Amino acid sequence: MLVLFETPAGFALFKVLDEGKLNKVEDISKEFLAADTARKVVSLKAFSKFENTAEALEAATKLLESTPSKGLRKFLRSHCDGETLGVYDSKLGNAIKEKLKIECVHNNAVMELLRGVRSQLTELISGLGAQDLAPMSLGLSHSLSRYKLKFSADKVDTMIVQAIGLLDDLDKELNTYAMRIREWYGWHFPELTKIIQDNILYAKTVKLMGDRANAANLDFSEVLPDEVETELKEAAVISMGTEVNDLDLMNIKELCDQVISLAEYRAQLYDYLKSRMNTVAPNLTALVGELVGARLIAHGGSLMNLAKQPGSTVQILGAEKALFRALKTKHSTPKYGLIYHASLVGQAAPKHKGKISRSLAAKAALAIRCDALGDDQDNSMGVENRLKLEARLRALEGKELGRSAGSAKGKPKIEVYDKDRKKGSGLITPAKTYNPAADSLLGQTPNSTAADEQDTVPKKKKKVLLDLVKF
């Protein structure tokens, strides 16, 4: 029986001298306490040395994938004819058995044997000292780490995480600087704040104009529309702001340059993020957009971590504080988190946002798994699911409109308001007519009139009148 052992210097094949000792697994470690006893258990049969670091890196990466490299296959063919090979990985053993037709063994006895060989490696392989083995191990580990970082699919989305974080920071800085320009320049030209609402246009206008007295002689057509330019020039003539000197204007213009340069870099960064998202997560981008998709990936840590989350978690991702507060106070849990900023949720009516966010989160979870684990690099799945969600949103809106119009459950019933009219047979009771004889008082005595009036008084009023008379 042979045992395959990997070292930073190359592959080694050890011959097991006494296979009977493998029957007692607990006693194998005792045989490798000393070099003399270890040589009685195994002996070096062959050694395949790596020519350079690139070959060692290739062999190590293949072993991580449980597949034999080209050099290892050639080495085993020449030394393992008719022998049983002990390996440390069962998947590697299956691959060797399938490709090279060599019987492989992987059990506890082989693992204990390899552990013992590792402890006495420098004694069993002549010419391989500890002072040489340590630098080899360190160099190979560094090369392997760089290789994994370069070619690992999980590390591609780290660029997206950093880009969306920088984009949010730029938005905060731009807002802070723009508000500072408005406040600073507002002392000189306060009316300009209401005339120009956009921060970038405001900074460009201030940089071009400088002192408000120059507005009448300048052409703002490249920056502002004609009607805004006319309003600006009219306001500059009657402005009630204070005067500023050239040094103040110079510092304000430098701040405007900072805002304009940051805005240009922000546009470039957004284009970079958009291309990255369309490459790494095209289906997720088609469903929720570049910014929301990037924030979901950043909040999850990576695309692979996000793919492990169910749709219910994706729905409230970003609203953890509200969720735990609701669970603690026993109130209703939030319906959406970062997904609230998606265009599909924004299009929905307030009463439909919960339903659309739940459906969108379920479809987004499928799209994330397709992007992370699928082989296709197109966004057909995301586009198809988006069309389904838009149809569902239209169905919800149409259902509510039909229900409010009374067409949801059959035709509305028409009530019969003239209850005195019988179907097809005229009136149930005759119509009341005015009796003019009731207005006449001729032929009536005062006593009879008083008696009639007394009869018309209710019984309770009669009793009250009698009590007053007795009193």
Side-chain angles (χ1 to χ4, degrees), residues 439-456:
D439 294 339
S440 178
L441 298 178
L442 298 176
Q444 296 182 1
T445 61
N447 294 330
S448 62
T449 305
D452 293 338
E453 291 178 358
Q454 186 176 3
D455 292 338
T456 59

Side-chain angles (χ1 to χ4, degrees), residues 92-135:
L92 178 63
N94 294 332
I96 292 174
K97 183 178 180 181
E98 181 181 354
K99 294 182 179 180
L100 304 178
K101 307 302 180 184
I102 298 175
E103 189 67 27
C104 296
V105 178
H106 172 75
N107 50 33
N108 292 334
V110 173
M111 296 299 292
E112 287 292 332
L113 192 63
L114 290 172
R115 187 177 294 110
V117 170
R118 186 179 297 110
S119 63
Q120 300 291 339
L121 183 62
T122 55
E123 298 294 335
L124 295 174
I125 301 177
S126 59
L128 185 64
Q131 66 277 7
D132 300 328
L133 193 61

Side-chain angles (χ1 to χ4, degrees), residues 293-308:
R295 287 192 175 94
L296 287 173
I297 293 174
H299 201 83
S302 67
L303 186 63
M304 190 62 66
N305 290 342
L306 196 61
K308 299 175 184 178

Side-chain angles (χ1 to χ4, degrees), residues 352 355-356 359 391-401:
H352 297 148
K355 294 181 180 179
I356 291 299
S359 302
R392 173 169 169 75
L393 180 59
R394 288 194 299 269
L396 286 174
E397 297 290 344
K399 184 177 180 182
E400 291 297 326
L401 290 175

Side-chain angles (χ1 to χ4, degrees), residues 143-174:
S143 301
L144 186 60
S145 299
R146 285 193 296 268
Y147 179 85
K148 290 176 65 179
L149 183 63
K150 182 178 179 180
F151 293 99
S152 177
D154 298 338
K155 300 300 180 183
V156 178
D157 49 18
T158 55
M159 304 302 172
I160 295 176
V161 175
Q162 299 297 330
I164 190 62
L166 179 58
L167 195 68
D168 292 338
D169 293 340
L170 283 177
D171 288 336
K172 293 178 183 178
E173 293 296 327
L174 275 172

